[in-house]
Amino acid sequence: MMQVEVIATEELGDRSYVVHDGPVAVVVDPQRDIDRIEAVLARLGARCVLVAETHLHNDYVSGGYQLARTTGAEYAMSADDEVGFDRHPLHDGDELTAGTMTVRAVATPGHTDHHLSYLVSDGSGTPVVFTGGSLLLKQIPLITAAG
């Protein structure tokens, strides 16, 4: 059964995610300090086979490329993002397989022009979606009219 581990960096308001089916893991939006992710992978006994970026991050330095190189995982991001390194280029609707999990790229432009969300399912329950900043909760004050 698929499970999700959340790695929060509260001071930046960011989250990295390790979704796994037991032996195999997908890491979404890893931050630069990949030692925290490596510790989670070790605790789980899971092998990272895919690192997926939802967008090019301007608010922190991503650890995605380094994590992919360190673990031998595939590194995936939007095909439309212009980058100077090798990656698996994804378009809306593309699917990748990681263990028993299917990872589907969903175009969700807005946060960035080429933003992707990832719908992950293992076929045994409710899928999960990683939105990477495209869906953020914002509290708006309620304005009432006097009268």
Side-chain angles (χ1 to χ4, degrees), residues 5 8-9 24-25 45 60 74 79 85 103 106 115 131 134 138 140 145:
E5 301 279 330
T9 305
V24 172
Y60 66 87
E74 189 167 16
F85 48 82
V103 180
V106 179
H115 194 285
T131 64
S134 66
K138 181 174 181 175
I140 301 171

Side-chain angles (χ1 to χ4, degrees), residues 7-10 14 16 31 33-41:
I7 304 168
T9 305
E10 296 299 339
D14 288 318
S16 298
Q31 294 208 358
D33 50 350
I34 64 171
D35 58 313
R36 296 191 306 159
I37 293 164
E38 291 171 324
V40 169
L41 292 168

Side-chain angles (χ1 to χ4, degrees), residues 56 65 75 77-89:
L56 292 178
Y65 184 74
Y75 188 50
M77 63 189 328
S78 174
D80 295 322
D81 281 326
E82 294 181 25
V83 295
F85 48 82
D86 290 333
R87 52 50 168 124
H88 185 108

Side-chain angles (χ1 to χ4, degrees), residues 50-101:
L50 175 63
V51 176
E53 301 278 10
T54 57
H55 62 293
L56 292 178
H57 303 281
N58 293 318
D59 52 350
Y60 66 87
V61 176
S62 171
Y65 184 74
Q66 182 62 41
L67 182 64
R69 288 186 58 174
T70 299
T71 62
E74 189 167 16
Y75 188 50
M77 63 189 328
S78 174
D80 295 322
D81 281 326
E82 294 181 25
V83 295
F85 48 82
D86 290 333
R87 52 50 168 124
H88 185 108
L90 294 174
H91 297 93
D92 182 48
D94 286 351
E95 290 186 351
L96 298 172
T97 301
T100 61
M101 300 174 289

